[in-house]
């Protein structure tokens, strides 16, 4: 399983605050609500501790094509880094 590095940041897309998530090959733009729900789900998955964690990402911002849903299987280290990055972006 390859390492996944996610970069999360708060952005304004079409006048709406949202969260941008990128990895080596994909870019997603999520609503704050969707990103918050994903953060909570990720925290729960980390607390349960069953790895790899299956996770799906897809665009959820208005005015964006939905695009493909990408499924990830992330290791503990990658999940914890992603959780930290997403949490930081949401509370920016």
């Amino acid at each position: 399983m390859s390492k996944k590095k996610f970069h999360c940041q708060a952005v304004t897309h079409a006048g709406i605050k949202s969260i941008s998530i990128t990895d080596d090959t994909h870019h997603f733009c999520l609503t704050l609500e969707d990103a918050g729900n994903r953060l909570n789900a990720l925290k729960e998955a980390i607390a349960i501790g069953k790895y790899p964690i299956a996770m799906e990402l897809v665009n959820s911002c208005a005015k964006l094509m939905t695009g493909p849903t990408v499924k990830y299987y992330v290791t503990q280290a990658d999940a914890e880094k992603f959780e930290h990055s997403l949490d930081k972006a949401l509370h920016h």
Side-chain angles (χ1 to χ4, degrees):
M1 186 178 334
S2 62
K3 289 186 77 61
K4 276 285 166 210
K5 186 172 183 167
F6 298 97
H7 177 71
C8 307
Q9 66 184 31
V11 297
T12 301
H13 177 77
I16 300 168
K17 277 193 168 272
S18 53
I19 300 295
S20 168
I21 300 173
T22 55
D23 71 4
D24 297 335
T25 52
H26 302 93
H27 175 238
F28 305 97
C29 196
L30 278 59
T31 63
L32 293 179
E33 181 182 7
D34 186 25
N37 291 339
R38 290 177 186 280
L39 177 62
N40 290 336
L42 188 58
K43 284 181 178 181
E44 286 175 19
I46 290 170
I48 292 168
K50 282 189 179 177
Y51 295 96
I53 293 173
M55 182 174 75
E56 291 183 350
L57 288 174
V58 66
N59 287 326
S60 62
C61 276
K63 299 184 181 168
L64 270 184
M65 297 280 283
T66 302
T69 297
V70 180
K71 190 160 197 163
Y72 295 96
Y73 294 93
V74 293
T75 63
Q76 181 174 358
D78 291 342
E80 289 172 353
K81 286 178 190 167
F82 181 44
E83 185 246 341
H84 178 74
S85 180
L86 185 55
D87 190 37
K88 195 167 139 188
L90 275 165
H91 297 99
H92 179 274

